[in-house]
Amino acid sequence: MRIAVISDIHGNLEALKTAFWDIEERNADTIICLGDLTGYGPYPNEVIDFIREKRIISILGNYDAAVVEEKFNCIRPNEVNKFCMPWAARELTQDNREYLKSLPQNFVVKFQGKEIVFVHGSNRDMNEYLKENSKEAEEAMKEFSGDVLVCAHTHIPYEKHYGDKILLNDGSIGKPKIGRPNGTYIILDMQNNSLNVEFIEFEYDYEKTAAAMEEKRIHLSCINNIRTGIE
């Protein structure tokens, strides 16, 4: 079984479509999205519509929760978010708002005796950053009772082993923080009782996204991030 894991699309429809067709070519059996469909990018409704149309399994991200609640208890109350969260909340259709409300905060796959748990932030909190080699990651993995924990939220992909347990981060489809304007995702290839992780980095027409952001007068910091991959 091959599972593609995507996350942190943040309203970037162009990046999502490119990732989807790339995944199709790599013959994944299914796609799981770890949340943050909305925020920052110019197309929150279109991204949600695409996720729903393609029947992609998705969980709730912290930014999705903030947009639905229209509160800052799930995101940082900085100047960018003070613009982007209310903007995305105003843009959302009621139908898509209800869709986000319906999303679970985790998803579990059991395969060949292994338990793989998919979360947005961590197994403890959707807004917790499990950065590579961090104290938070070590603590979270001590508490984790499954075999593989797959998270997002940091926008930086990595793989880290904690004894027999594995922590994975898929990076970000639509708001990169890797120093390049490319999206990232992972494919979990599970066969013969083994797990192989493929880290994928892809290019897309980020200038198309940036132009749409400029047209909609989205915060300049978000536009610069799309063009540079630096927050």
Side-chain angles (χ1 to χ4, degrees):
M1 181 169 67
R2 288 168 60 80
I3 301 175
V5 185
I6 66 175
S7 74
D8 298 283
I9 303 160
H10 288 297
N12 190 337
L13 183 64
E14 193 69 21
L16 174 59
K17 286 183 174 180
T18 302
F20 181 82
W21 300 124
D22 190 68
I23 290 167
E24 288 275 284
E25 290 182 357
R26 296 175 189 272
N27 298 315
D29 297 299
T30 192
I31 303 174
I32 296 177
C33 177
L34 304 187
D36 274 8
L37 281 61
T38 62
Y40 307 115
Y43 297 118
N45 283 307
E46 291 84 349
V47 163
I48 295 172
D49 290 342
F50 190 90
I51 291 287
R52 298 176 71 179
E53 175 191 340
K54 301 302 182 184
R55 300 184 181 276
I56 295 172
I57 299 166
S58 189
I59 63 176
L60 186 71
N62 68 302
Y63 213 101
D64 301 324
V67 167
V68 167
E69 297 171 4
E70 297 189 54
K71 295 179 181 178
F72 287 101
N73 53 336
C74 293
I75 57 173
R76 294 169 292 176
N78 55 37
E79 289 306 310
V80 173
N81 285 335
K82 285 177 182 177
F83 168 85
C84 290
M85 188 273 284
W87 183 89
R90 289 193 303 269
E91 288 285 307
L92 271 192
T93 65
Q94 186 59 34
D95 188 40
N96 282 336
R97 185 182 296 270
E98 292 301 320
Y99 169 76
L100 291 181
K101 284 182 181 179
S102 75
L103 296 179
Q105 292 192 23
N106 62 67
F107 188 77
V108 179
V109 171
K110 294 184 178 180
F111 185 77
Q112 294 181 341
K114 300 287 186 182
E115 182 175 271
I116 306 168
V117 180
F118 299 85
V119 298
H120 180 72
S122 81
N123 48 314
R124 306 188 295 185
D125 188 336
M126 76 162 69
N127 200 27
E128 181 175 33
Y129 288 90
L130 297 187
K131 297 181 180 180
E132 188 173 8
N133 299 318
S134 67
K135 181 182 73 172
E136 290 81 7
E138 184 175 355
E139 292 173 349
M141 291 305 288
K142 281 183 180 178
E143 297 178 23
F144 179 59
S145 60
D147 299 290
V148 183
L149 181 64
V150 189
C151 67
H153 196 41
T154 70
H155 298 212
I156 300 174
Y158 69 84
E159 176 179 358
K160 176 77 174 180
H161 290 246
Y162 292 84
D164 293 333
K165 296 184 281 190
I166 304 173
L167 175 60
L168 299 169
N169 192 303
D170 72 296
S172 170
I173 291 291
K175 191 177 185 294
K177 297 182 183 179
I178 57 174
R180 297 177 298 281
N182 300 333
T184 60
Y185 68 91
I186 61 175
I187 292 180
L188 309 182
D189 191 347
M190 295 172 286
Q191 54 185 326
N192 301 324
N193 205 30
S194 65
L195 172 67
N196 182 56
V197 184
E198 301 174 28
F199 287 85
I200 314 296
E201 180 176 333
F202 65 93
E203 298 179 352
Y204 73 101
D205 187 359
Y206 61 86
E207 281 296 343
K208 187 173 181 179
T209 298
M213 294 169 77
E214 289 173 338
E215 183 179 342
K216 297 189 178 189
R217 300 183 182 277
I218 290 175
H219 200 287
L220 181 60
S221 293
C222 298
I223 300 171
N224 290 339
N225 172 225
I226 289 296
R227 286 183 165 135
T228 64
I230 300 171
E231 188 177 55

